[in-house]
Amino acid sequence: QVQLVESGGGSVQAGGSLRLSCAAVAYTYSFYISYHMAWFRQAPGKEREGVAGIDRDDTIIYADSVKGRFTISKDNAKNTLYLQMNSLKPEDTAMYYCAASSRFLSPAGLLHGNNYNYWGQGTQVTVSS
């Protein structure tokens, strides 16, 4: 069984930064080498949105809304996924989730939530103007 645990959320003013972490507790050694990973977010009343994804070969893709501001990375030795968020805007306010997929995916599929079979519980990010 795979368990994903997010941390690092909080409240910041517009223009600020936060770094989210996602620790994987899994039975599989070197978890992040074997799985595609991504960050998603969902704001109240809105659909879930793929924010950033990284596949097993370290190909990275970002949503247009966060390009140039967010950076996804992973530390395979620590089984930890990160999302560095800079220049935050009020519209970035949402619950952020990390997700893992053991399926075969092309990079184009990294930001589609239906492709993921493991999810964390989420961490709240609130950006005030």
Short mmCIF file of all heavy atoms in Angstrom, two decimals, residues 51-120:
data_model
loop_
_atom_site.label_atom_id
_atom_site.label_comp_id
_atom_site.label_asym_id
_atom_site.label_seq_id
_atom_site.Cartn_x
_atom_site.Cartn_y
_atom_site.Cartn_z
N VAL A 51 -1.18 20.81 -11.73
CA VAL A 51 -0.29 21.96 -11.58
C VAL A 51 1.09 21.66 -12.19
O VAL A 51 1.61 22.44 -12.98
CB VAL A 51 -0.14 22.33 -10.10
CG1 VAL A 51 0.91 23.42 -9.92
CG2 VAL A 51 -1.47 22.76 -9.52
N ALA A 52 1.67 20.54 -11.79
CA ALA A 52 3.00 20.17 -12.28
C ALA A 52 3.17 18.67 -12.16
O ALA A 52 2.66 18.06 -11.21
CB ALA A 52 4.08 20.89 -11.47
N GLY A 53 3.86 18.09 -13.11
CA GLY A 53 4.08 16.65 -13.09
C GLY A 53 5.50 16.31 -13.49
O GLY A 53 6.15 17.06 -14.23
N ILE A 54 6.00 15.18 -12.97
CA ILE A 54 7.33 14.71 -13.31
C ILE A 54 7.25 13.20 -13.48
O ILE A 54 6.71 12.49 -12.64
CB ILE A 54 8.36 15.11 -12.22
CG1 ILE A 54 9.76 14.65 -12.59
CG2 ILE A 54 7.96 14.62 -10.84
CD1 ILE A 54 10.85 15.27 -11.71
N ASP A 55 7.75 12.71 -14.60
CA ASP A 55 7.62 11.28 -14.85
C ASP A 55 8.88 10.54 -14.40
O ASP A 55 9.82 11.13 -13.85
CB ASP A 55 7.25 10.99 -16.30
CG ASP A 55 8.40 11.24 -17.28
OD1 ASP A 55 9.53 11.50 -16.85
OD2 ASP A 55 8.14 11.16 -18.50
N ARG A 56 8.87 9.23 -14.64
CA ARG A 56 9.97 8.38 -14.16
C ARG A 56 11.30 8.76 -14.79
O ARG A 56 12.35 8.52 -14.20
CB ARG A 56 9.66 6.93 -14.47
CG ARG A 56 8.55 6.33 -13.63
CD ARG A 56 8.41 4.86 -13.89
NE ARG A 56 7.74 4.59 -15.14
CZ ARG A 56 6.58 3.95 -15.23
NH1 ARG A 56 5.96 3.56 -14.14
NH2 ARG A 56 6.05 3.70 -16.41
N ASP A 57 11.24 9.37 -15.97
CA ASP A 57 12.47 9.78 -16.65
C ASP A 57 12.81 11.24 -16.38
O ASP A 57 13.67 11.81 -17.06
CB ASP A 57 12.31 9.58 -18.16
CG ASP A 57 12.07 8.11 -18.50
OD1 ASP A 57 12.71 7.25 -17.87
OD2 ASP A 57 11.23 7.83 -19.39
N ASP A 58 12.13 11.84 -15.42
CA ASP A 58 12.36 13.23 -15.02
C ASP A 58 11.91 14.25 -16.06
O ASP A 58 12.38 15.39 -16.03
CB ASP A 58 13.82 13.46 -14.64
CG ASP A 58 14.21 12.73 -13.37
OD1 ASP A 58 13.31 12.40 -12.59
OD2 ASP A 58 15.41 12.47 -13.17
N THR A 59 11.04 13.84 -16.96
CA THR A 59 10.39 14.82 -17.83
C THR A 59 9.38 15.59 -16.99
O THR A 59 8.61 15.01 -16.24
CB THR A 59 9.68 14.13 -19.00
OG1 THR A 59 10.65 13.43 -19.78
CG2 THR A 59 8.97 15.15 -19.87
N ILE A 60 9.40 16.90 -17.13
CA ILE A 60 8.56 17.77 -16.31
C ILE A 60 7.60 18.56 -17.18
O ILE A 60 7.98 19.02 -18.28
CB ILE A 60 9.44 18.73 -15.48
CG1 ILE A 60 10.20 17.96 -14.40
CG2 ILE A 60 8.59 19.83 -14.84
CD1 ILE A 60 11.22 18.79 -13.64
N ILE A 61 6.40 18.74 -16.67
CA ILE A 61 5.41 19.55 -17.38
C ILE A 61 4.67 20.40 -16.35
O ILE A 61 4.45 19.96 -15.22
CB ILE A 61 4.44 18.65 -18.18
CG1 ILE A 61 3.56 19.49 -19.09
CG2 ILE A 61 3.63 17.75 -17.29
CD1 ILE A 61 2.82 18.69 -20.13
N TYR A 62 4.34 21.62 -16.75
CA TYR A 62 3.64 22.55 -15.88
C TYR A 62 2.36 23.04 -16.54
O TYR A 62 2.28 23.16 -17.76
CB TYR A 62 4.50 23.78 -15.58
CG TYR A 62 5.75 23.50 -14.78
CD1 TYR A 62 6.98 23.39 -15.40
CD2 TYR A 62 5.69 23.35 -13.40
CE1 TYR A 62 8.13 23.14 -14.68
CE2 TYR A 62 6.84 23.10 -12.66
CZ TYR A 62 8.05 22.99 -13.31
OH TYR A 62 9.19 22.74 -12.58
N ALA A 63 1.39 23.37 -15.71
CA ALA A 63 0.23 24.08 -16.20
C ALA A 63 0.66 25.49 -16.60
O ALA A 63 1.55 26.07 -15.98
CB ALA A 63 -0.85 24.14 -15.13
N ASP A 64 0.01 26.04 -17.62
CA ASP A 64 0.36 27.38 -18.08
C ASP A 64 0.24 28.41 -16.97
O ASP A 64 1.01 29.38 -16.92
CB ASP A 64 -0.53 27.78 -19.25
CG ASP A 64 -0.20 27.01 -20.53
OD1 ASP A 64 0.91 26.42 -20.61
OD2 ASP A 64 -1.05 27.00 -21.43
N SER A 65 -0.70 28.20 -16.07
CA SER A 65 -0.97 29.18 -15.02
C SER A 65 0.16 29.30 -14.00
O SER A 65 0.21 30.28 -13.25
CB SER A 65 -2.27 28.83 -14.29
OG SER A 65 -2.19 27.52 -13.74
N VAL A 66 1.08 28.32 -13.97
CA VAL A 66 2.15 28.35 -12.96
C VAL A 66 3.54 28.37 -13.58
O VAL A 66 4.54 28.45 -12.84
CB VAL A 66 2.03 27.17 -11.98
CG1 VAL A 66 0.65 27.13 -11.35
CG2 VAL A 66 2.36 25.85 -12.66
N LYS A 67 3.63 28.30 -14.89
CA LYS A 67 4.94 28.30 -15.54
C LYS A 67 5.74 29.53 -15.16
O LYS A 67 5.22 30.65 -15.16
CB LYS A 67 4.78 28.24 -17.06
CG LYS A 67 4.47 26.87 -17.61
CD LYS A 67 4.35 26.92 -19.12
CE LYS A 67 4.00 25.54 -19.68
NZ LYS A 67 3.79 25.58 -21.14
N GLY A 68 7.01 29.31 -14.83
CA GLY A 68 7.88 30.41 -14.45
C GLY A 68 7.79 30.78 -12.99
O GLY A 68 8.60 31.57 -12.49
N ARG A 69 6.80 30.25 -12.27
CA ARG A 69 6.63 30.56 -10.85
C ARG A 69 6.79 29.33 -9.96
O ARG A 69 7.30 29.45 -8.84
CB ARG A 69 5.23 31.16 -10.61
CG ARG A 69 4.97 32.42 -11.39
CD ARG A 69 3.66 33.09 -10.95
NE ARG A 69 2.50 32.24 -11.18
CZ ARG A 69 1.67 31.83 -10.21
NH1 ARG A 69 1.88 32.19 -8.96
NH2 ARG A 69 0.62 31.08 -10.51
N PHE A 70 6.37 28.18 -10.44
CA PHE A 70 6.43 26.95 -9.65
C PHE A 70 7.51 26.03 -10.20
O PHE A 70 7.73 25.99 -11.42
CB PHE A 70 5.10 26.21 -9.68
CG PHE A 70 3.98 26.87 -8.93
CD1 PHE A 70 4.08 28.17 -8.45
CD2 PHE A 70 2.79 26.18 -8.71
CE1 PHE A 70 3.03 28.77 -7.76
CE2 PHE A 70 1.74 26.76 -8.02
CZ PHE A 70 1.87 28.06 -7.55
N THR A 71 8.14 25.26 -9.32
CA THR A 71 9.14 24.29 -9.72
C THR A 71 8.88 22.98 -9.00
O THR A 71 8.83 22.94 -7.77
CB THR A 71 10.56 24.78 -9.39
OG1 THR A 71 10.80 26.03 -10.04
CG2 THR A 71 11.60 23.77 -9.87
N ILE A 72 8.74 21.91 -9.77
CA ILE A 72 8.57 20.57 -9.20
C ILE A 72 9.92 19.87 -9.21
O ILE A 72 10.71 20.02 -10.15
CB ILE A 72 7.51 19.76 -9.98
CG1 ILE A 72 7.20 18.44 -9.25
CG2 ILE A 72 7.96 19.50 -11.41
CD1 ILE A 72 6.02 17.68 -9.86
N SER A 73 10.19 19.13 -8.14
CA SER A 73 11.43 18.37 -8.07
C SER A 73 11.21 17.17 -7.15
O SER A 73 10.21 17.10 -6.44
CB SER A 73 12.58 19.24 -7.57
OG SER A 73 12.32 19.70 -6.25
N LYS A 74 12.16 16.26 -7.17
CA LYS A 74 12.05 15.10 -6.30
C LYS A 74 13.43 14.68 -5.83
O LYS A 74 14.43 14.91 -6.51
CB LYS A 74 11.35 13.94 -7.00
CG LYS A 74 12.04 13.44 -8.25
CD LYS A 74 11.26 12.30 -8.88
CE LYS A 74 11.95 11.81 -10.15
NZ LYS A 74 11.26 10.64 -10.76
N ASP A 75 13.44 14.09 -4.66
CA ASP A 75 14.66 13.54 -4.09
C ASP A 75 14.43 12.04 -3.94
O ASP A 75 13.72 11.60 -3.03
CB ASP A 75 14.96 14.20 -2.74
CG ASP A 75 16.30 13.77 -2.15
OD1 ASP A 75 16.72 12.61 -2.38
OD2 ASP A 75 16.91 14.57 -1.45
N ASN A 76 14.99 11.28 -4.86
CA ASN A 76 14.73 9.84 -4.86
C ASN A 76 15.25 9.17 -3.59
O ASN A 76 14.64 8.24 -3.08
CB ASN A 76 15.36 9.19 -6.09
CG ASN A 76 14.67 9.58 -7.37
OD1 ASN A 76 13.47 9.87 -7.38
ND2 ASN A 76 15.40 9.62 -8.46
N ALA A 77 16.37 9.64 -3.08
CA ALA A 77 16.95 9.03 -1.88
C ALA A 77 16.05 9.23 -0.67
O ALA A 77 15.99 8.37 0.22
CB ALA A 77 18.33 9.61 -1.62
N LYS A 78 15.34 10.35 -0.64
CA LYS A 78 14.47 10.65 0.50
C LYS A 78 13.02 10.29 0.22
O LYS A 78 12.16 10.49 1.08
CB LYS A 78 14.56 12.13 0.85
CG LYS A 78 15.93 12.56 1.35
CD LYS A 78 15.93 14.04 1.72
CE LYS A 78 17.28 14.47 2.26
NZ LYS A 78 17.31 15.92 2.61
N ASN A 79 12.74 9.78 -0.99
CA ASN A 79 11.35 9.48 -1.36
C ASN A 79 10.45 10.68 -1.11
O ASN A 79 9.36 10.56 -0.53
CB ASN A 79 10.83 8.26 -0.59
CG ASN A 79 11.18 6.96 -1.29
OD1 ASN A 79 11.73 6.96 -2.39
ND2 ASN A 79 10.89 5.85 -0.65
N THR A 80 10.89 11.84 -1.54
CA THR A 80 10.14 13.07 -1.29
C THR A 80 10.01 13.88 -2.57
O THR A 80 10.98 14.04 -3.31
CB THR A 80 10.82 13.93 -0.20
OG1 THR A 80 10.93 13.15 0.99
CG2 THR A 80 9.98 15.17 0.10
N LEU A 81 8.81 14.36 -2.80
CA LEU A 81 8.48 15.22 -3.93
C LEU A 81 8.28 16.64 -3.40
O LEU A 81 7.75 16.82 -2.30
CB LEU A 81 7.19 14.73 -4.60
CG LEU A 81 6.68 15.51 -5.80
CD1 LEU A 81 7.54 15.22 -7.02
CD2 LEU A 81 5.23 15.15 -6.07
N TYR A 82 8.71 17.62 -4.18
CA TYR A 82 8.61 19.01 -3.74
C TYR A 82 7.87 19.85 -4.78
O TYR A 82 7.86 19.53 -5.97
CB TYR A 82 9.99 19.62 -3.52
CG TYR A 82 10.83 18.89 -2.51
CD1 TYR A 82 11.82 18.00 -2.92
CD2 TYR A 82 10.65 19.10 -1.15
CE1 TYR A 82 12.60 17.32 -2.00
CE2 TYR A 82 11.43 18.42 -0.22
CZ TYR A 82 12.40 17.54 -0.65
OH TYR A 82 13.17 16.88 0.27
N LEU A 83 7.29 20.93 -4.31
CA LEU A 83 6.75 21.96 -5.20
C LEU A 83 7.14 23.31 -4.61
O LEU A 83 6.61 23.72 -3.58
CB LEU A 83 5.24 21.86 -5.35
CG LEU A 83 4.64 22.84 -6.35
CD1 LEU A 83 5.07 22.48 -7.78
CD2 LEU A 83 3.11 22.87 -6.25
N GLN A 84 8.10 23.95 -5.25
CA GLN A 84 8.50 25.29 -4.84
C GLN A 84 7.60 26.29 -5.54
O GLN A 84 7.53 26.30 -6.77
CB GLN A 84 9.96 25.56 -5.20
CG GLN A 84 10.45 26.94 -4.88
CD GLN A 84 10.51 27.21 -3.38
OE1 GLN A 84 10.95 26.37 -2.61
NE2 GLN A 84 10.04 28.38 -2.97
N MET A 85 6.92 27.10 -4.77
CA MET A 85 5.96 28.05 -5.32
C MET A 85 6.41 29.46 -4.99
O MET A 85 6.48 29.84 -3.83
CB MET A 85 4.57 27.79 -4.74
CG MET A 85 4.08 26.36 -4.93
SD MET A 85 2.40 26.11 -4.37
CE MET A 85 2.58 26.42 -2.63
N ASN A 86 6.74 30.22 -6.02
CA ASN A 86 7.17 31.60 -5.87
C ASN A 86 6.16 32.54 -6.51
O ASN A 86 5.32 32.12 -7.30
CB ASN A 86 8.54 31.80 -6.51
CG ASN A 86 9.62 30.95 -5.88
OD1 ASN A 86 9.60 30.67 -4.68
ND2 ASN A 86 10.59 30.53 -6.68
N SER A 87 6.27 33.81 -6.17
CA SER A 87 5.39 34.84 -6.73
C SER A 87 3.93 34.40 -6.65
O SER A 87 3.17 34.49 -7.63
CB SER A 87 5.78 35.11 -8.20
OG SER A 87 7.12 35.53 -8.29
N LEU A 88 3.54 33.96 -5.49
CA LEU A 88 2.19 33.44 -5.32
C LEU A 88 1.14 34.53 -5.51
O LEU A 88 1.36 35.70 -5.18
CB LEU A 88 2.05 32.80 -3.93
CG LEU A 88 2.67 31.41 -3.81
CD1 LEU A 88 2.91 31.04 -2.36
CD2 LEU A 88 1.81 30.38 -4.51
N LYS A 89 0.00 34.10 -6.06
CA LYS A 89 -1.12 34.98 -6.34
C LYS A 89 -2.35 34.49 -5.58
O LYS A 89 -2.45 33.31 -5.26
CB LYS A 89 -1.42 34.97 -7.84
CG LYS A 89 -0.25 35.34 -8.74
CD LYS A 89 -0.63 35.19 -10.20
CE LYS A 89 0.54 35.52 -11.11
NZ LYS A 89 0.18 35.37 -12.55
N PRO A 90 -3.29 35.39 -5.32
CA PRO A 90 -4.52 34.93 -4.64
C PRO A 90 -5.21 33.79 -5.37
O PRO A 90 -5.80 32.91 -4.72
CB PRO A 90 -5.37 36.20 -4.63
CG PRO A 90 -4.37 37.31 -4.58
CD PRO A 90 -3.24 36.85 -5.45
N GLU A 91 -5.11 33.75 -6.67
CA GLU A 91 -5.75 32.66 -7.43
C GLU A 91 -5.04 31.33 -7.28
O GLU A 91 -5.54 30.31 -7.76
CB GLU A 91 -5.87 33.03 -8.91
CG GLU A 91 -4.59 33.50 -9.57
CD GLU A 91 -4.49 35.02 -9.60
OE1 GLU A 91 -4.82 35.68 -8.59
OE2 GLU A 91 -4.05 35.55 -10.65
N ASP A 92 -3.91 31.30 -6.61
CA ASP A 92 -3.24 30.03 -6.29
C ASP A 92 -3.83 29.38 -5.04
O ASP A 92 -3.46 28.26 -4.69
CB ASP A 92 -1.74 30.25 -6.08
CG ASP A 92 -1.03 30.70 -7.33
OD1 ASP A 92 -1.32 30.16 -8.42
OD2 ASP A 92 -0.15 31.59 -7.23
N THR A 93 -4.72 30.09 -4.36
CA THR A 93 -5.34 29.55 -3.16
C THR A 93 -6.12 28.29 -3.49
O THR A 93 -6.98 28.29 -4.36
CB THR A 93 -6.27 30.60 -2.53
OG1 THR A 93 -5.49 31.71 -2.08
CG2 THR A 93 -7.03 30.01 -1.35
N ALA A 94 -5.80 27.20 -2.79
CA ALA A 94 -6.44 25.92 -3.05
C ALA A 94 -5.89 24.88 -2.08
O ALA A 94 -4.91 25.12 -1.38
CB ALA A 94 -6.16 25.46 -4.47
N MET A 95 -6.54 23.72 -2.09
CA MET A 95 -5.97 22.55 -1.44
C MET A 95 -5.06 21.88 -2.46
O MET A 95 -5.47 21.64 -3.61
CB MET A 95 -7.07 21.59 -1.00
CG MET A 95 -6.57 20.40 -0.21
SD MET A 95 -6.02 20.84 1.44
CE MET A 95 -7.61 20.99 2.26
N TYR A 96 -3.84 21.62 -2.06
CA TYR A 96 -2.86 21.01 -2.96
C TYR A 96 -2.66 19.55 -2.59
O TYR A 96 -2.48 19.20 -1.41
CB TYR A 96 -1.53 21.76 -2.89
CG TYR A 96 -1.56 23.07 -3.64
CD1 TYR A 96 -2.29 24.15 -3.17
CD2 TYR A 96 -0.87 23.22 -4.84
CE1 TYR A 96 -2.34 25.35 -3.87
CE2 TYR A 96 -0.90 24.41 -5.55
CZ TYR A 96 -1.64 25.47 -5.06
OH TYR A 96 -1.68 26.66 -5.76
N TYR A 97 -2.67 18.71 -3.62
CA TYR A 97 -2.53 17.27 -3.43
C TYR A 97 -1.35 16.75 -4.25
O TYR A 97 -1.15 17.18 -5.39
CB TYR A 97 -3.78 16.54 -3.91
CG TYR A 97 -5.05 16.94 -3.22
CD1 TYR A 97 -5.83 17.98 -3.70
CD2 TYR A 97 -5.49 16.26 -2.09
CE1 TYR A 97 -7.01 18.35 -3.07
CE2 TYR A 97 -6.66 16.62 -1.46
CZ TYR A 97 -7.41 17.67 -1.95
OH TYR A 97 -8.57 18.03 -1.32
N CYS A 98 -0.62 15.81 -3.69
CA CYS A 98 0.33 15.09 -4.53
C CYS A 98 -0.29 13.75 -4.91
O CYS A 98 -1.16 13.22 -4.21
CB CYS A 98 1.68 14.91 -3.85
SG CYS A 98 1.73 13.75 -2.50
N ALA A 99 0.14 13.24 -6.05
CA ALA A 99 -0.42 12.01 -6.58
C ALA A 99 0.68 11.19 -7.25
O ALA A 99 1.66 11.75 -7.74
CB ALA A 99 -1.52 12.32 -7.58
N ALA A 100 0.47 9.88 -7.26
CA ALA A 100 1.44 8.97 -7.85
C ALA A 100 0.73 8.01 -8.80
O ALA A 100 -0.41 7.61 -8.55
CB ALA A 100 2.15 8.17 -6.76
N SER A 101 1.42 7.67 -9.86
CA SER A 101 0.86 6.75 -10.83
C SER A 101 1.87 5.68 -11.19
O SER A 101 3.03 5.99 -11.48
CB SER A 101 0.46 7.50 -12.11
OG SER A 101 0.01 6.59 -13.09
N SER A 102 1.41 4.44 -11.18
CA SER A 102 2.24 3.32 -11.58
C SER A 102 1.95 2.91 -13.02
O SER A 102 2.51 1.94 -13.52
CB SER A 102 1.99 2.13 -10.65
OG SER A 102 0.62 1.77 -10.66
N ARG A 103 1.08 3.66 -13.68
CA ARG A 103 0.66 3.31 -15.04
C ARG A 103 1.62 3.87 -16.07
O ARG A 103 2.43 4.74 -15.78
CB ARG A 103 -0.74 3.88 -15.28
CG ARG A 103 -1.77 3.35 -14.30
CD ARG A 103 -3.06 4.14 -14.35
NE ARG A 103 -4.01 3.63 -13.36
CZ ARG A 103 -5.12 4.27 -12.99
NH1 ARG A 103 -5.42 5.43 -13.54
NH2 ARG A 103 -5.92 3.74 -12.09
N PHE A 104 1.50 3.35 -17.28
CA PHE A 104 2.27 3.91 -18.37
C PHE A 104 1.64 5.24 -18.78
O PHE A 104 0.44 5.31 -19.05
CB PHE A 104 2.28 2.97 -19.57
CG PHE A 104 2.96 3.54 -20.77
CD1 PHE A 104 4.34 3.56 -20.85
CD2 PHE A 104 2.23 4.09 -21.81
CE1 PHE A 104 4.99 4.10 -21.95
CE2 PHE A 104 2.86 4.64 -22.92
CZ PHE A 104 4.25 4.64 -22.98
N LEU A 105 2.43 6.31 -18.80
CA LEU A 105 1.93 7.63 -19.15
C LEU A 105 2.88 8.33 -20.11
O LEU A 105 4.10 8.22 -19.96
CB LEU A 105 1.81 8.52 -17.90
CG LEU A 105 0.74 8.20 -16.86
CD1 LEU A 105 0.83 9.22 -15.73
CD2 LEU A 105 -0.64 8.23 -17.49
N SER A 106 2.31 9.05 -21.05
CA SER A 106 3.11 9.98 -21.82
C SER A 106 3.16 11.29 -21.05
O SER A 106 2.33 11.53 -20.18
CB SER A 106 2.47 10.21 -23.20
OG SER A 106 1.23 10.86 -23.03
N PRO A 107 4.13 12.14 -21.36
CA PRO A 107 4.18 13.43 -20.65
C PRO A 107 2.87 14.20 -20.74
O PRO A 107 2.50 14.90 -19.78
CB PRO A 107 5.32 14.17 -21.36
CG PRO A 107 6.23 13.07 -21.81
CD PRO A 107 5.31 11.96 -22.22
N ALA A 108 2.16 14.07 -21.83
CA ALA A 108 0.90 14.80 -21.98
C ALA A 108 -0.15 14.36 -20.97
O ALA A 108 -1.08 15.10 -20.67
CB ALA A 108 0.36 14.62 -23.40
N GLY A 109 0.02 13.17 -20.42
CA GLY A 109 -0.95 12.66 -19.47
C GLY A 109 -0.63 12.96 -18.02
O GLY A 109 -1.41 12.62 -17.12
N LEU A 110 0.49 13.62 -17.78
CA LEU A 110 0.94 13.84 -16.41
C LEU A 110 0.01 14.73 -15.61
O LEU A 110 -0.03 14.63 -14.38
CB LEU A 110 2.35 14.44 -16.40
CG LEU A 110 3.48 13.49 -16.70
CD1 LEU A 110 4.79 14.27 -16.81
CD2 LEU A 110 3.61 12.42 -15.63
N LEU A 111 -0.74 15.62 -16.26
CA LEU A 111 -1.57 16.56 -15.52
C LEU A 111 -3.05 16.16 -15.53
O LEU A 111 -3.91 16.98 -15.20
CB LEU A 111 -1.40 17.97 -16.09
CG LEU A 111 0.00 18.54 -15.96
CD1 LEU A 111 0.03 20.01 -16.41
CD2 LEU A 111 0.54 18.43 -14.54
N HIS A 112 -3.32 14.91 -15.86
CA HIS A 112 -4.69 14.43 -15.86
C HIS A 112 -4.90 13.54 -14.65
O HIS A 112 -4.30 12.46 -14.54
CB HIS A 112 -5.00 13.66 -17.15
CG HIS A 112 -4.96 14.54 -18.35
ND1 HIS A 112 -6.01 15.34 -18.75
CD2 HIS A 112 -3.97 14.76 -19.25
CE1 HIS A 112 -5.68 16.01 -19.84
NE2 HIS A 112 -4.44 15.67 -20.17
N GLY A 113 -5.77 13.95 -13.76
CA GLY A 113 -5.94 13.26 -12.50
C GLY A 113 -6.40 11.82 -12.63
O GLY A 113 -6.08 10.99 -11.77
N ASN A 114 -7.13 11.51 -13.66
CA ASN A 114 -7.63 10.15 -13.83
C ASN A 114 -6.52 9.13 -14.06
O ASN A 114 -6.75 7.93 -13.96
CB ASN A 114 -8.62 10.10 -15.00
CG ASN A 114 -9.92 10.82 -14.68
OD1 ASN A 114 -10.23 11.04 -13.52
ND2 ASN A 114 -10.65 11.20 -15.70
N ASN A 115 -5.33 9.62 -14.38
CA ASN A 115 -4.20 8.72 -14.62
C ASN A 115 -3.48 8.30 -13.33
O ASN A 115 -2.55 7.53 -13.39
CB ASN A 115 -3.20 9.39 -15.56
CG ASN A 115 -3.75 9.50 -16.97
OD1 ASN A 115 -4.54 8.67 -17.41
ND2 ASN A 115 -3.34 10.55 -17.68
N TYR A 116 -3.93 8.84 -12.20
CA TYR A 116 -3.21 8.60 -10.95
C TYR A 116 -4.00 7.67 -10.04
O TYR A 116 -5.22 7.80 -9.92
CB TYR A 116 -2.91 9.92 -10.25
CG TYR A 116 -1.85 10.69 -11.00
CD1 TYR A 116 -2.18 11.45 -12.11
CD2 TYR A 116 -0.52 10.60 -10.63
CE1 TYR A 116 -1.19 12.11 -12.83
CE2 TYR A 116 0.47 11.26 -11.34
CZ TYR A 116 0.12 12.01 -12.44
OH TYR A 116 1.10 12.65 -13.16
N ASN A 117 -3.29 6.74 -9.41
CA ASN A 117 -3.98 5.79 -8.56
C ASN A 117 -3.65 5.93 -7.08
O ASN A 117 -4.19 5.18 -6.26
CB ASN A 117 -3.71 4.34 -9.04
CG ASN A 117 -2.27 4.08 -9.44
OD1 ASN A 117 -1.43 4.97 -9.52
ND2 ASN A 117 -1.97 2.83 -9.73
N TYR A 118 -2.80 6.87 -6.72
CA TYR A 118 -2.53 7.13 -5.30
C TYR A 118 -2.56 8.63 -5.06
O TYR A 118 -1.99 9.40 -5.83
CB TYR A 118 -1.17 6.57 -4.89
CG TYR A 118 -1.05 5.07 -5.07
CD1 TYR A 118 -0.30 4.55 -6.11
CD2 TYR A 118 -1.69 4.20 -4.20
CE1 TYR A 118 -0.19 3.18 -6.28
CE2 TYR A 118 -1.59 2.83 -4.37
CZ TYR A 118 -0.84 2.33 -5.41
OH TYR A 118 -0.74 0.98 -5.57
N TRP A 119 -3.19 9.01 -3.96
CA TRP A 119 -3.36 10.43 -3.62
C TRP A 119 -3.06 10.67 -2.15
O TRP A 119 -3.35 9.83 -1.30
CB TRP A 119 -4.79 10.87 -3.90
CG TRP A 119 -5.14 10.86 -5.36
CD1 TRP A 119 -5.56 9.80 -6.10
CD2 TRP A 119 -5.09 11.98 -6.25
NE1 TRP A 119 -5.77 10.18 -7.40
CE2 TRP A 119 -5.49 11.53 -7.53
CE3 TRP A 119 -4.74 13.32 -6.09
CZ2 TRP A 119 -5.56 12.36 -8.63
CZ3 TRP A 119 -4.81 14.15 -7.20
CH2 TRP A 119 -5.21 13.68 -8.45
N GLY A 120 -2.51 11.86 -1.88
CA GLY A 120 -2.36 12.28 -0.50
C GLY A 120 -3.62 12.95 0.00
O GLY A 120 -4.60 13.10 -0.74
#
